[in-house]
Each structure stands twice: as C-alpha cells, then as structure tokens.
Amino acid sequence: NSSLIDYVRISPNSTNPRSNSISKITIHHMAGNLTVEQCGQGFSSKKRQASSNYGISSDGRVGLYVDEANRSWASSNRANDNMAVTIEVANDGGAPDWHISDVALAKLIDLCVDICQRNGIKQLNFTGDKTGNLTMHKYFAATACPGPYLENKFPYIAEEVNRRLRGKPELKTVNDIVWELNYRGIITNPKMWLLKLKYDKNAYWLAYKAANRTINFQRSSELKSVNDIVWELNYRNIMTDSQLWLSVLSYDTNLYWLARKMANMTCNN
C-alpha cells in the first residue's frame, strides 16, 4: 500500500485477493465534502456493499479502505475493479460542477504517481473511454461520477503523472525551453523565440508550459479560432486567465501560433 496513507479503516466490502495484477487507476468523487474518516465510516457498512482502495479529503489526507492486494467494490464492474486501484476524492463544492480542492488534486496526482511506481505502470493513458488505463466511474455505470470538474482534469492528471514517471526535470531556462520546443517542431525560429522569451513574460509562461507537458490525446479537427484555442488550453490547465489570453492572442501573431500548435498537439514525447 501507499506510504502516503494518513488513516486506515478496512472495509468488509472487498474481494480478497484481486484476480488480476494492478494495471489501471479509476478515479471517483465522493459527492460530498467528506473527511477520510467519514468516507471510511460509509464503507464500513456491509449493507452498503461499496468501497474503494483509497479516499482523499479536501485537506489532502489519504485514507485506506481496501488493501491494494484486494479488489474494491467501486466501479460497478468486476473486471475493472480487479485491475484498478480505485480512489474516491472529496468535493469542496456541490452540484453541478462538484469542484475539488487544489490540495486534493495535488495529493491525487502524488498518489497516482506512487501507485504507478510501485505497480510497474510505465504510463497513464487517458483515452476518454474505458480502453485506457486511467478511467472514471461513468465509463462503467449510469452515473455522473466523478463530476464535471474532476472529469475535465483527467488530461492534466495523466500529463503530470507521466512527466513525473519519466523522471524528466522541469525545463525552466529560456535556452532549455526553446531547444525543447524546436526539437519537437513546435517552433521553427529559435533565435526569435530566445529573444521573445527573455522579454515577454506571457510568451515565457506559455512556452514553459508547452515544453513541460506531454500531450497524449488526438483531435479530429484543428482548432484555429482564438476562442477555441484559449478554451482548450484553459481546459488543460495550461492557461488560467482566459480574458488575458483572449486579448494577447488577438494581436500577437507569434503567441497565437504557439498556442495554436499547443492546442492541436498530438505528440507523446
């Protein structure tokens, strides 16, 4: 089990041992702002017939309810639960978005990295359906779980976990960032970008984000409008101030091109 655990309450609702080795992670939400103790209390009832391997509270504490060696009863799908480590995450906001805290999201990524490292999972592959090894409850049951907010974070979760699994250090210097983006074919005029990144903080931030991200999903049609590009990059957590970027991309053709490249990237390097 993970060394990140803060609280243990083993649920009677499990199948011991699991019938498959661990090769997936399935993320759920609690549909409430539960502590790890409260979540464990809910899973302690045999009548409920439900459990998960782990739970994460809004303050970032981690609870263990079913040993990783065993199958939790979480996803309404025996085959998935036999392969997956399942994680419940508390919501610090209610319907319709079911927001989760930044602290909980950060701990979720830490836990996913830890699970992958200990179980030999080389990469999390989020495909947007149950064929990937990063899945959500709604792929297996008629449910909204894990809620819109957390669901939108899945590409970012996969990207960040994979970056850590590769052991690739963050690229921070202008030279390293420009070299990486030129190597990937995202930029083609390194001399211009070296100069631009030194004096334009918005350009540096966008290039820094691009150089340190792994994009692992494909797009059926190219995004070209400023609105579509900003929406996509905001969705991926690459941009956070949408109004600023709508303005910047409208007049800076170089940044527009970089943002457009990022929004349509399908590379895995």
Side-chain angles (χ1 to χ4, degrees):
N1 298 320
S2 177
S3 61
L4 300 175
I5 297 165
D6 299 292
Y7 171 79
V8 177
R9 183 165 184 173
I10 299 300
S11 170
N13 305 322
S14 64
T15 303
N16 307 343
R18 65 170 72 233
S19 62
N20 297 86
S21 59
I22 293 168
S23 58
K24 304 174 72 174
I25 294 175
T26 302
I27 299 172
H28 304 247
H29 76 150
M30 294 183 189
N33 199 8
L34 278 63
T35 65
V36 290
E37 290 83 3
Q38 289 170 326
C39 187
Q41 173 66 30
F43 289 149
S44 69
S45 170
K46 291 183 179 180
K47 292 182 180 180
R48 188 176 178 190
Q49 300 239 311
S51 63
S52 68
N53 294 105
Y54 294 104
I56 300 174
S57 59
S58 292
D59 60 2
R61 297 176 68 233
V62 177
L64 172 72
Y65 312 119
V66 175
D67 288 331
E68 283 187 29
N70 301 327
R71 170 200 151 203
S72 67
W73 298 350
S75 306
S76 311
N77 185 283
R78 179 182 301 174
N80 183 73
D81 285 345
N82 268 311
M83 293 184 285
V85 174
T86 57
I87 307 169
E88 291 272 357
V89 185
N91 303 99
D92 65 351
D97 291 334
W98 297 108
H99 190 273
I100 71 167
S101 72
D102 290 345
V103 173
L105 180 60
K107 185 55 67 76
L108 174 60
I109 291 170
D110 290 344
L111 182 58
C112 287
V113 171
D114 177 64
I115 290 166
C116 289
Q117 288 175 332
R118 289 183 294 101
N119 290 284
I121 300 173
K122 302 298 184 184
Q123 176 174 302
L124 281 185
N125 183 25
F126 176 61
T127 60
D129 58 31
K130 63 184 178 182
T131 62
N133 65 354
L134 177 63
T135 58
M136 56 184 80
H137 191 182
K138 66 183 292 182
Y139 296 160
F140 308 101
T143 176
C145 179
Y149 182 82
L150 186 50
E151 180 178 346
N152 287 340
K153 296 297 182 184
F154 270 57
Y156 166 65
I157 292 168
E159 291 167 10
E160 183 61 19
V161 170
N162 291 336
R163 183 184 68 79
R164 297 191 199 179
L165 290 176
R166 293 195 310 272
K168 184 177 179 180
E170 276 198 314
L171 303 174
K172 295 182 178 180
T173 70
V174 169
N175 283 345
D176 286 345
I177 291 169
V178 170
W179 186 93
E180 178 71 14
L181 295 181
N182 185 62
Y183 171 76
R184 291 194 202 175
I186 296 171
I187 62 174
T188 56
N189 187 343
K191 288 184 178 179
M192 184 274 288
W193 283 102
L194 283 170
L195 184 62
K196 189 170 184 64
L197 297 195
K198 286 179 181 179
Y199 297 104
D200 187 332
K201 65 180 181 180
N202 290 322
Y204 172 84
W205 177 251
L206 190 59
Y208 162 78
K209 286 285 190 177
N212 287 290
R213 290 297 175 104
T214 298
I215 307 302
N216 59 358
F217 52 92
Q218 295 188 351
R219 178 165 306 289
S220 58
S221 59
E222 188 177 15
L223 301 176
K224 296 180 180 180
S225 76
V226 170
N227 282 343
D228 287 346
I229 291 167
V230 170
W231 187 94
E232 176 68 18
L233 296 181
N234 181 261
Y235 166 80
R236 293 192 205 168
N237 272 8
I238 293 171
M239 293 176 175
T240 56
D241 188 338
S242 299
Q243 293 304 312
L244 167 68
W245 285 103
L246 285 168
S247 174
V248 169
L249 299 190
S250 295
Y251 68 79
D252 190 322
T253 55
N254 289 317
L255 279 186
Y256 166 81
W257 183 250
L258 177 58
R260 178 173 163 177
K261 283 275 193 178
M262 291 174 65
N264 292 286
M265 278 195 298
T266 59
C267 57
N268 286 312
N269 54 321

